[in-house]
Every structure is written in structure tokens, then in C-alpha cells.
Amino acid sequence: TKDKGCKRFCTESEHLYAVDDLSEALTLIQERDTHRATLCGTIETKIDSGEYPGLMDLITSTIANHIWDVDWIVEADAAYSYDDELEDVAVVKCEFATPDGHPEFRVVDYRNDILVMQASIRLEINATCGFSFSVRDTIDHDSMHIGDATVVTKDTVTVEVLLTIENPNIGTPEIVEIELIPSRQNLNFGSIQPDFRDEDPNSEYY
């Protein structure tokens, strides 16, 4: 901009900078993005070289502790109507969601020597869900409970995490925070039916 009022406003701001020439502005943005990408690449190399030996354990524990920040959508096929209650989602294994399993980060923010990066994480999980089955009574049209089942499924999903690093320009910068980004994930329990194995065949209902 060449507007004097805009320039004056930018001068008084901590976060704005006035540039007269568009090509200069684009050059500054490119330099910024290149610097950020270099910082991410450096961190990726340090992780590959073993400078953060406990990182994946920290990511795994963070995801496990905040597993219910994920909106889990239960899916299943059944011959009867059912209600579901997801009982547990256990993290079995975590790894970077890249073809070779190596870290790959994307810059979210970088200011005041604080770098925030985003990474995709592939999770292997065991999920347990309780199902309550019912049928419609053809006489009074009420729902009649006919049985229950507890079903366990194994699945693989991809979630996103944020890693916050202080002073990324020093030798081995410290990762000060790991966050799980809330998301929605589907859990397919396949074909389900009531489990009658614990029913008493001598019951008056038989």
C-alpha cells in the first residue's frame, strides 16, 4: 500500500507491516514460508536421527488421554433395531501417517520463537461397544427388548496432532506441548446380532 494512513496504522501495530511493492511483499512471504519449512525439516531430521527418543510415546499418551475428544460414530449392520453405547477406545499403536512412517510436519504458526506444527498420526485401536436390540410389537406397536451384545472391533484411523516447540532455531529445541485436534471418526463393528449364549434355555421365556 502507498496510503499514508494505512502505513501509519501499520507502524503502530505489532503484527502489521506496510510494503509499497507487491513483488517485495510476495518475496517476504516466500522467505517466511521457506524459513518455516526449513525449521520443520530440521525437526524431522532430528527425530529421524533419534534426538527425540520418547516423542511417539508422548504422542501416544496424549492421544490416549484425550481419546474422547474424538467424536466416534458407531456403524453396524443388524437385522434388528439397536441402541449403541461405545464403552472403550484403546490405543494399540501410533505412528506418523506417511508411507514410510517418517515424520512430516506442516507449520500452523510461528511467532516469538514459538513454532506450532501439525502432523498426521495413524492409530491402531481396539474399540468396545455395547448393543441393545429390540423389535416392534405388531400388536401394541411398542419396542420389545430381545437381547444384548458386546462387540470388539479393531480399526485404523488417522488423527491430527499439534506440536508446540520453543526456540526452534537452537540445537535440540524443546517440545513443550502436544495436542490432539478434535475430529469425527467412524467405527464399523460389522454385522452384529444379540448374544444368546448366556440365556437360560429353561427360562419361562423359552
Side-chain angles (χ1 to χ4, degrees):
T1 181
K2 296 182 182 295
D3 184 83
K4 292 181 179 180
C6 184
K7 288 183 177 181
R8 184 169 56 253
F9 180 80
C10 291
T11 301
E12 297 171 355
S13 172
E14 296 181 0
H15 306 293
L16 297 176
Y17 179 72
V19 179
D20 292 336
D21 185 68
L22 178 60
S23 63
E24 182 184 353
L26 293 176
T27 298
L28 290 173
I29 293 173
Q30 184 177 13
E31 290 176 351
R32 180 205 65 183
D33 292 346
T34 300
H35 179 57
R36 290 179 170 187
T38 299
L39 291 175
C40 281
T42 300
I43 298 299
E44 292 167 3
T45 300
K46 290 180 181 296
I47 293 173
D48 277 335
S49 64
E51 294 189 36
Y52 294 90
L55 177 59
M56 191 51 67
D57 288 339
L58 290 174
I59 292 175
T60 301
S61 62
T62 296
I63 293 174
N65 291 335
H66 296 86
I67 198 68
W68 297 110
D69 288 351
V70 176
D71 184 11
W72 299 102
I73 307 300
V74 173
E75 298 178 342
D77 296 320
Y80 312 103
S81 298
Y82 65 83
D83 294 318
D84 59 76
E85 183 175 354
L86 191 59
E87 299 174 0
D88 184 51
V89 179
V91 178
V92 177
K93 181 182 178 182
C94 289
E95 62 182 1
F96 290 105
T98 55
D100 55 8
H102 291 296
E104 186 175 291
F105 299 117
R106 304 177 297 281
V107 176
V108 175
D109 191 24
Y110 177 48
R111 67 183 74 182
N112 301 323
D113 281 333
I114 301 293
L115 177 65
V116 181
M117 308 181 302
Q118 183 172 334
S120 299
I121 303 296
R122 185 164 44 242
L123 302 182
E124 291 184 14
I125 58 173
N126 285 340
T128 304
C129 188
F131 294 91
S132 177
F133 298 89
S134 61
V135 295
R136 179 74 64 177
D137 190 315
T138 57
I139 298 177
D140 56 19
H141 303 292
D142 289 335
S143 292
M144 181 173 61
H145 177 256
I146 60 171
D148 303 291
T150 298
V151 183
V152 178
T153 189
K154 296 181 179 180
D155 207 347
T156 300
V157 300
T158 299
V159 298
E160 302 292 319
V161 298
L162 297 177
L163 288 82
T164 301
I165 293 180
E166 286 186 350
N167 302 313
N169 293 291
I170 66 174
T172 304
E174 180 183 2
I175 299 176
V176 296
E177 186 176 18
I178 300 173
E179 303 173 66
L180 172 64
I181 298 178
S183 62
R184 174 172 289 190
Q185 301 285 347
N186 295 328
L187 283 176
N188 195 325
F189 286 82
S191 180
I192 58 174
Q193 60 184 356
D195 184 355
F196 298 118
R197 289 176 298 177
D198 294 331
E199 298 290 337
D200 181 5
N202 298 315
S203 169
E204 61 180 309
Y205 297 106
Y206 285 87

